[in-house]
Amino acid sequence: MESSRLDELRRDIDRLDTEIIALLAERFKLTEDVGLYKAANRLEPQDSLRESKQFEKIARLSNDVSLNPDYATAIYRCLMDIVISRHSELRRTYEERNRIGAS
Ligand SMILES: O=C(O)C(=O)C[C@]1(C(=O)O)C=C[C@@H](O)C=C1
């Protein structure tokens, strides 16, 4: 491959990465609020029913744009695992604060 072509492709990748990171930041802000809501309402960090619906949607959306659904599914599994771990942390912090506040 001509090196200028490689540079051009990498510029396109960099541009998309900028957008992907901005969207991830937005998504994590929303899941942070979900985590705070769950902690305050004593809901479990993981919701398997919601996840099943999410994964169905992800497969459908991937197929619509000719993306291998396995790729998107793997990425979203990672994302959700990070979210679940953060929600567990928020729950521990929330309960710790309430214990201290109650004593
Ligand atoms: O919708 C929720 O309840 C969330 O916590 C968000 C989210 C997600 O990232 O989409 C993460 C973990 C849950 O197991 C399901 C979905």
Side-chain angles (χ1 to χ4, degrees):
M1 196 185 290
E2 228 187 296
S3 115
S4 61
R5 175 69 183 137
L6 180 58
D7 289 345
E8 190 187 322
L9 290 170
R10 284 178 174 168
R11 266 196 302 277
D12 286 348
I13 289 172
D14 287 345
R15 186 175 46 76
L16 284 181
D17 284 342
T18 304
E19 288 179 32
I20 290 168
I21 295 290
L23 288 173
L24 279 177
E26 220 177 301
R27 191 182 199 282
F28 276 113
K29 275 187 201 119
L30 291 172
T31 56
E32 185 77 5
D33 287 347
V34 171
L36 292 169
Y37 179 91
K38 284 184 172 179
N41 291 281
R42 293 189 158 66
L43 296 171
E44 289 303 315
Q46 182 165 26
D47 183 336
S48 302
L49 191 64
R50 170 69 176 158
E51 284 190 11
S52 303
K53 289 180 188 157
Q54 290 278 75
F55 282 114
E56 266 177 40
K57 177 191 70 185
I58 286 156
R60 185 169 29 81
L61 289 173
S62 300
N63 285 319
D64 287 351
V65 294
S66 302
L67 168 67
N68 183 337
D70 291 347
Y71 296 172
T73 299
I75 291 166
Y76 270 85
R77 185 66 268 158
C78 277
L79 271 180
M80 286 187 203
D81 285 345
I82 294 168
V83 170
I84 291 162
S85 150
R86 176 64 182 150
H87 286 180
S88 304
E89 192 175 278
L90 288 170
R91 172 111 180 227
R92 279 194 300 276
T93 308
Y94 185 88
E95 284 173 2
E96 191 66 37
R97 284 213 185 111
N98 278 11
R99 254 199 303 280
I100 293 164
S103 61

